[in-house]
Amino acid sequence: MKKSTKTLPAIITGVAILIGGIWMINESRYPNVPAFDDHFTRKFLNKDKKAADGFYEFKSKTGQYTMWFPEEYQVLHKYREDYTRNGESYENWSAAYIKPYENDQQTYAINVKFSENDTKSELIYVESLFKEQLGSKKPKQLETSNTRIYYNSAYTYFRGTNQHIVHDSKENPPNLYVAYVADKSSDKVIKLIYDSVGENTETNQMDRKKWFLKMLKNIHFNEGK
């Protein structure tokens, strides 16, 4: 009986070491970037499909689209409203990257909302989005082989509870980017909003614009679903 009692701790220790070893092996298979450090975020990402310049492929849980996801970001999931989905027709999620800066921090965030909007009313939806977010009705436009993209940017700040929008990029680099991406062969659309908060978050306007457009151009809606 005593021999059996002495053996039990050794077995438990051995099992713990084995489980720990398996866990370390599994973890080592993931890229060493913030996106894969978060277990919720990695559920959406293809670890074997890195895109150029720090992006990985993001696959929607609706099965309706894929896009590029920045490797520094993590999908928010602390609260129920951080990630919401309704079957294959709707998905709304946000992701953030928080960077320490002097005695404060810089916060970078993206919000993606997938839905289906009647193509015949596309211009109405577009006008409403840019009016609401940027106080502007005239977004810039571009196309890929499969999508129509509307986008624009501005510098925004709050004075008290009032939001102020500055469209002159020479005065202040934009810290809010807004886009409406429509599938050419269906009613599927994505509204994507990027914003940053904190001192000196935007130091290179051209680099930020290129970064934003890379995400937009690499949104792919799945056919036949």
Side-chain angles (χ1 to χ4, degrees), residues 23-71:
W23 180 85
M24 289 182 66
I25 292 172
N26 287 336
E27 289 297 302
S28 67
R29 294 174 180 173
Y30 291 99
N32 185 26
V33 295
F36 285 95
D37 289 341
D38 180 65
H39 286 254
F40 185 78
T41 304
R42 69 169 61 162
K43 294 178 181 179
F44 298 88
L45 305 181
N46 185 343
K47 65 181 176 61
D48 299 317
K49 198 163 185 180
K50 182 175 183 179
D53 301 322
F55 291 91
Y56 282 86
E57 184 184 68
F58 176 100
K59 186 175 182 181
S60 166
K61 293 300 181 182
T62 64
Q64 298 288 352
Y65 69 92
T66 60
M67 61 177 285
W68 282 11
F69 185 91
E71 64 182 18

Side-chain angles (χ1 to χ4, degrees), residues 158-173:
F158 281 87
R159 184 172 292 164
T161 58
N162 296 321
Q163 183 183 29
H164 296 264
I165 302 173
V166 180
H167 291 283
D168 185 357
S169 59
K170 294 180 180 179
E171 182 178 344
N172 293 101

